[in-house]
Amino acid sequence: MKVAFVGKGGSGKTTLSSLFIRHLASKGLPVVAVDADINQHLGVALGLDEERAAKIPAMGDRLAEIKTHLRGRNWRISSPSAMVKTTPPGSGSRLLTLGGDDPVHALGQEVNGATLLVTGKFNDADLGVACYHSKTGAVELYLNHLVDGPGEYVVVDMTAGADTFASGLFTRFDLMFLVAEPTRKGVGVYRQYKDYASDYDVAITVVGNKIQGDQDISYLREQVGDDLLTWVGQSAAVRALEQGRRGVDLESANEAALDWMLAAVDARRKDWAKYQRQAVEFHVKNARSWANAATGEDLEKQVDPDFRFPV
């Protein structure tokens, strides 16, 4: 299953995504963690020190290599440079399996039972000439070509706010956990997500964070209704992790919240036909909007109408 953690800046989505990744790994489940936030903190949240986290090769810096591999012998794609972030797979494309032997997963760093991939930081060369989609485009291509099987998980810590909707990336997930504080700003991002996703059959559920009591829970229930799945309260264990201290067990109530989240993910039904259909839809939109002009080609011709995922 492909899972995203989204929410407003400072809501705690990186903290909750790292807790969920640790929860999966502790059960021996295969999990790939992807740091797709413009602020690259997931590695440290998972237990790496700053120096090791900074040395992980960035997907955004290896786009040419990734595109060459994924293109394979797909004759509809004239060259790797003609691939854009929305390019869907077709006959001859190389598909990926979780943790497989390929140029994408080779960039991963093993940390606490999970494989961590990073998009890379916004650096000086990017300032004024690029947007962060030049980094997250690598994630979209990765997810477009990834055939994940039963009991396998990809967990993506997304950039803050509604930036996910700047392409078709928001349709690449089986479930999106929207991390919301019990505040007007917290639920405001939830309403924005629900509005943007309403026409695309995208599954979004709310996880409350920084909950201090029943009043906070009641507030979220009033604001988001049945979309509130569970919540996480103030945690001495999380504080210990953030301070680099180990050996403090997560509170039973917060552990139960992670179990609820895993159950919600496992309850989702995979729909590969819809997955490919939406990939094509957004590729065509992007081609007509900017990509045809950017590449000098008609990228709608990259769509293979006969392609089906081998599942």
Side-chain angles (χ1 to χ4, degrees), residues 140-170:
E140 191 162 354
L141 280 170
Y142 169 63
L143 296 177
N144 271 349
H145 291 76
L146 179 67
V147 183
D148 45 315
E152 297 179 337
Y153 303 86
V154 177
V155 181
V156 183
D157 181 23
M158 290 298 302
T159 192
D163 198 55
T164 311
F165 292 93
S167 71
L169 184 55
F170 73 101

Side-chain angles (χ1 to χ4, degrees), residues 51-129:
E51 184 177 358
R52 285 183 63 199
K55 290 180 179 179
I56 300 175
M59 297 170 69
D61 294 340
R62 306 293 180 91
L63 261 178
E65 182 182 355
I66 291 171
K67 288 178 178 181
T68 298
H69 179 79
L70 296 179
R71 176 187 177 230
R73 297 186 178 184
N74 186 341
W75 62 268
R76 295 175 181 274
I77 302 172
S78 62
S79 68
S81 62
M83 293 183 73
V84 293
K85 59 187 178 182
T86 55
T87 297
S91 178
S93 296
R94 288 193 179 100
L95 301 178
L96 306 174
T97 57
L98 202 76
D101 182 14
D102 58 71
V104 182
H105 292 106
L107 303 175
Q109 168 74 55
E110 295 302 313
V111 51
N112 285 324
T115 299
L116 173 64
L117 298 172
V118 302
T119 55
K121 291 184 177 180
F122 221 48
N123 55 45
D124 291 341
D126 298 317
L127 294 176
V129 297

Side-chain angles (χ1 to χ4, degrees), residues 14-23 41-50 111-112 232 234-251 254-255 258:
T14 298
T15 297
L16 287 194
S17 62
S18 68
L19 288 177
F20 188 64
I21 291 162
R22 288 172 182 265
H23 190 67
H41 298 316
L42 184 58
V44 173
L46 287 172
L48 294 178
D49 59 45
E50 295 277 0
V111 51
N112 285 324
V232 173
Q234 298 291 332
S235 171
V238 170
R239 179 64 68 194
L241 288 172
E242 291 173 341
Q243 294 174 348
R245 293 185 288 115
R246 300 178 181 274
V248 181
D249 292 335
L250 191 65
E251 298 79 5
N254 291 334
E255 189 78 25
L258 297 175

